[in-house]
Amino acid sequence: MADEKPAAKKRTDPTSQLARGELVHAEVKPLDLSGIPSVITGIVAWAVAFVVVLIFRGELKKDGLEWWLWVTVAGFGLGLIGLWYCKRRWAAIQAGHRSALED
């Protein structure tokens, strides 16, 4: 009986429990499937940043950082493209042409 190994300790960390099937994740749906409110928030944030950078444009130009103005313009423009995409995607989901989980 000297060859018997002591019983292995059972790991209790969440990763091990999940691997053994002891933890079960609840099915939780996302709050916003369309993404439109998030994109609009981003567009507004870039617009506010544009105004702030515009106020300090003279100081930024003096420091060689006038390109920040164009970063805000690009963020705003890309946000508009994102809004167009999200609206188009949401319309396809509503029409049944696309799954809400697809992407």
Side-chain angles (χ1 to χ4, degrees):
M1 303 272 174
D3 294 344
E4 288 183 24
K5 294 181 182 177
K9 273 189 169 179
K10 189 174 183 179
R11 290 177 51 185
T12 58
D13 59 288
T15 305
S16 298
Q17 290 175 326
L18 184 62
R20 290 191 302 267
E22 294 173 2
L23 292 181
V24 179
H25 287 279
E27 289 294 325
V28 179
K29 293 184 180 182
L31 296 177
D32 173 31
L33 292 176
S34 72
I36 294 171
S38 301
V39 173
I40 291 174
T41 302
I43 291 171
V44 169
W46 281 115
V48 169
F50 174 78
V51 171
V52 170
V53 169
L54 202 58
I55 291 170
F56 294 104
R57 187 175 186 184
E59 294 172 32
L60 291 171
K61 189 173 188 175
K62 181 178 65 174
D63 295 335
L65 299 173
E66 194 176 19
W67 59 270
W68 284 13
L69 181 69
W70 299 110
V71 170
T72 61
V73 171
F76 183 83
L78 290 171
L80 291 177
I81 293 170
L83 182 62
W84 168 78
Y85 173 81
C86 285
K87 284 186 173 183
R88 190 169 149 245
R89 177 183 173 273
W90 187 242
I93 290 170
Q94 295 295 319
H97 300 299
R98 181 179 185 150
S99 165
L101 302 175
E102 184 181 321
D103 264 335

